[in-house]
Amino acid sequence: MTFVIHVSRDVSVPLGIEPGDSVVLGRDSTQCQFVVRDISVSRRHCRLSVIGDRAQVEDLGSTNGTLVNGQRIETEQLSPGDVVEIGQCRIELL
């Protein structure tokens, strides 16, 4: 599955995740596969996973929370077009 991570207004990065894999996002480069340089993002903020043909996001106990379509979540199944927000970073499932 393909996600687009909008790191800033001018910078977007595609991220492909294969079924059975996951990617941890956060500030700490030693604990995360995708580093977000934003003070409002926790060291280990959230995990994006693909399980079969479904995408999921899980908050990892972050201080400021993980939002899906504007709602704070703990774990949420994602559909194409859903937008995940962590700090100023937006992540869209294509």
Side-chain angles (χ1 to χ4, degrees), residues 1-93:
M1 285 193 174
T2 302
F3 297 83
V4 175
I5 302 177
H6 304 280
V7 180
S8 70
R9 195 179 307 196
D10 301 326
V11 178
S12 298
V13 179
L15 174 66
I17 302 177
E18 296 296 322
D21 288 341
S22 64
V23 173
V24 174
L25 292 88
R27 285 192 340 251
D28 188 337
S29 63
T30 65
Q31 298 183 52
C32 300
Q33 290 82 33
F34 193 94
V35 176
V36 179
R37 303 260 183 239
D38 180 339
I39 194 74
S40 62
V41 172
S42 294
R43 285 182 294 246
R44 287 179 33 112
H45 198 100
C46 69
R47 176 182 293 116
L48 294 172
S49 303
V50 176
I51 303 160
D53 63 349
R54 305 286 300 198
Q56 173 180 295
V57 62
E58 174 189 4
D59 185 82
L60 299 176
S62 68
T63 301
N64 294 318
T66 299
L67 305 178
V68 174
N69 301 325
Q71 301 295 313
R72 191 170 179 150
I73 58 91
E74 290 184 22
T75 301
E76 185 77 17
Q77 295 271 334
L78 299 173
S79 298
D82 282 346
V83 176
V84 177
E85 295 175 68
I86 61 169
Q88 299 298 310
C89 182
R90 290 181 29 250
I91 304 152
E92 183 178 1
L93 175 60

